[in-house]
Amino acid sequence: MLPELTPEDLHARLQRGDDLQLIDVRQPEEYEYCRIEGSYLIPLGELASRVEEIDPDRPTVLICHHGVRSMQALAYLQHRHEMTNLLNLRGGIHAWSTRVDPSVAVY
């Protein structure tokens, strides 16, 4: 089982001021349309060439539309780069929009 957290858990951690790195692995046009404030875009297709942009010492939450691409990113980073600081946002930004922050557009 790959590690994940719910939108509510992420919201609570952000409210507490936890030092989280939010990596969005969607496409640029998806990211432009809606995103979680403070997230950083690294599209899934660019992850292998941009892995050094992820801080291995900070808890990192991977985000996509529904949680599938971010789970793929998490598995890749765990297995190929031995990162242990990763969490997948269960349900992706769609769940974030519907359960935590309705000001974030749904698509």
Side-chain angles (χ1 to χ4, degrees):
M1 182 67 109
L2 296 172
E4 59 183 2
L5 78 167
T6 66
E8 295 84 0
D9 292 337
L10 175 57
H11 184 256
R13 290 182 71 171
L14 292 171
Q15 290 296 306
R16 276 197 314 261
D18 288 8
D19 182 28
L20 300 173
Q21 183 177 24
L22 306 178
I23 302 294
D24 195 316
V25 299
R26 296 175 299 147
Q27 291 301 303
E29 58 274 9
E30 292 175 285
Y31 183 81
E32 266 311 304
Y33 185 69
C34 67
R35 66 187 152 285
I36 296 173
E37 188 67 35
S39 63
Y40 181 71
L41 179 66
I42 303 178
L44 184 59
E46 298 176 17
L47 192 59
S49 64
R50 296 177 59 189
V51 70
E52 73 283 345
E53 295 175 43
I54 299 172
D55 185 343
D57 298 321
R58 289 173 66 199
T60 299
V61 179
L62 297 160
I63 303 162
C64 70
H65 189 200
H66 287 289
V68 177
R69 285 176 281 177
S70 53
M71 189 63 81
Q72 291 172 329
L74 189 147
Y76 168 78
L77 293 167
Q78 272 189 343
H79 297 290
R80 294 288 220 135
H81 296 278
E82 300 179 352
M83 290 186 172
T84 59
N85 61 319
L86 307 169
L87 294 164
N88 182 55
L89 179 60
R90 185 185 312 153
I93 196 160
H94 181 83
W96 175 268
S97 299
T98 59
R99 293 165 44 186
V100 172
D101 187 355
S103 72
V104 175
V106 174
Y107 65 102

